[in-house]
Amino acid sequence: MADKMIALRLDKDLYERITEDANRENRSVNNYIVTKLSEAVPTNNLDQRQIVGSVVGGDKINMANDLIEVKGIYYRYDLLANDSVNSKKSYQVIKANGNILTIQELKSEK
């Protein structure tokens, strides 16, 4: 299933609070909002409840086999930006669909 893009209106104060929290957690505003919504909206899928939102070090991603280790279990993965994996960076699971996880590199601190 493809990601759905939406326009979202936020008042300035709320957006500033979200931006501050996202920066504090070393995340993009989009990733922060998606993570918070994923946590708030219940799902019946066990993988979604236990894995989405997990942060994984790049050293847990095996590009040769296209596998990622999350909580001791190996999954296939799809890197959101289609970049190469950097073993020194951290990645967050943003979606689980069966045994395929969509991951996104966490934003670096400035």
Side-chain angles (χ1 to χ4, degrees):
M1 181 166 70
D3 289 344
K4 176 75 174 160
M5 292 178 62
I6 63 168
L8 182 63
R9 288 194 179 115
L10 303 171
D11 72 25
K12 186 177 179 181
D13 181 58
L14 176 58
Y15 182 79
E16 288 173 0
R17 290 190 335 246
I18 289 170
T19 301
E20 288 172 8
D21 285 351
N23 287 336
R24 196 173 13 261
E25 293 184 16
N26 196 29
R27 299 176 188 217
S28 68
V29 170
N30 182 75
N31 179 269
Y32 180 84
I33 291 171
V34 168
T35 300
K36 292 300 179 185
L37 287 172
S38 295
E39 291 170 355
V41 178
T43 178
N44 293 326
N45 181 315
L46 184 61
D47 285 339
Q48 286 277 357
R49 289 194 309 256
Q50 293 183 339
I51 295 172
V52 171
S54 297
V55 175
V56 179
D59 60 326
K60 298 289 185 182
I61 301 172
N62 183 329
M63 288 185 62
N65 295 322
D66 291 327
L67 295 175
I68 182 171
E69 180 186 350
V70 182
K71 299 183 180 181
I73 300 173
Y74 288 91
Y75 298 87
R76 295 234 174 254
Y77 71 91
D78 182 24
L79 184 57
L80 191 61
N82 291 326
D83 292 331
S84 295
V85 172
N86 182 334
S87 64
K88 296 179 182 176
K89 302 257 180 165
S90 293
Y91 297 83
Q92 182 174 33
V93 177
I94 60 171
K95 184 167 55 173
N97 186 7
N99 69 337
I100 301 172
L101 306 181
T102 303
I103 62 173
Q104 178 177 351
E105 182 180 322
L106 288 179
K107 187 176 101 176
S108 298
E109 284 190 41
K110 295 178 182 179

